[in-house]
Amino acid sequence: MNEAVGLSKLYSVADVDRALGTAAVTGRFADKDLLSILDYQATRGHTAPILRGEGHSLQPGTSAWASFGIPTPTSDTAEYDESDLA
């Protein structure tokens, strides 16, 4: 927030507010991200940020964890043999 206050002396308050909104929507809060967003918006005009949906993700998803914790049937159970009773 200190960075935003300092940048409001170099840029208009409306521009800094818009850049803060863009940073919040895109999740960019690292060092110098706000300055980078301000510079980008100053040269590119007023465009909305591009948000990618889940269909555009490179993450494999969580389907591999669907059976986690569910016991699997074991195959080491011996078949019933009548000779064991004698």
Side-chain angles (χ1 to χ4, degrees), residues 51-84:
L51 300 175
R52 301 291 183 199
E54 289 293 320
H56 189 70
S57 177
L58 296 176
Q59 292 291 338
T62 58
S63 63
W65 293 91
S67 63
F68 184 74
I70 299 173
T72 57
T74 58
S75 62
D76 56 295
T77 57
E79 290 189 32
Y80 179 71
D81 187 5
E82 291 181 19
S83 64
D84 291 337

Side-chain angles (χ1 to χ4, degrees), residues 21-29 37 49-51:
T22 301
V25 168
T26 57
R28 290 189 55 191
F29 289 105
I37 292 170
I50 298 171
L51 300 175

Side-chain angles (χ1 to χ4, degrees), residues 4-40:
V5 172
L7 288 171
S8 67
K9 295 176 182 173
L10 301 173
Y11 295 89
S12 72
V13 174
D15 287 342
V16 173
D17 186 46
R18 194 172 126 232
L20 281 171
T22 301
V25 168
T26 57
R28 290 189 55 191
F29 289 105
D31 290 339
K32 306 296 181 192
D33 275 351
L34 189 59
L35 181 60
S36 175
I37 292 170
L38 276 166
D39 286 341
Y40 181 84

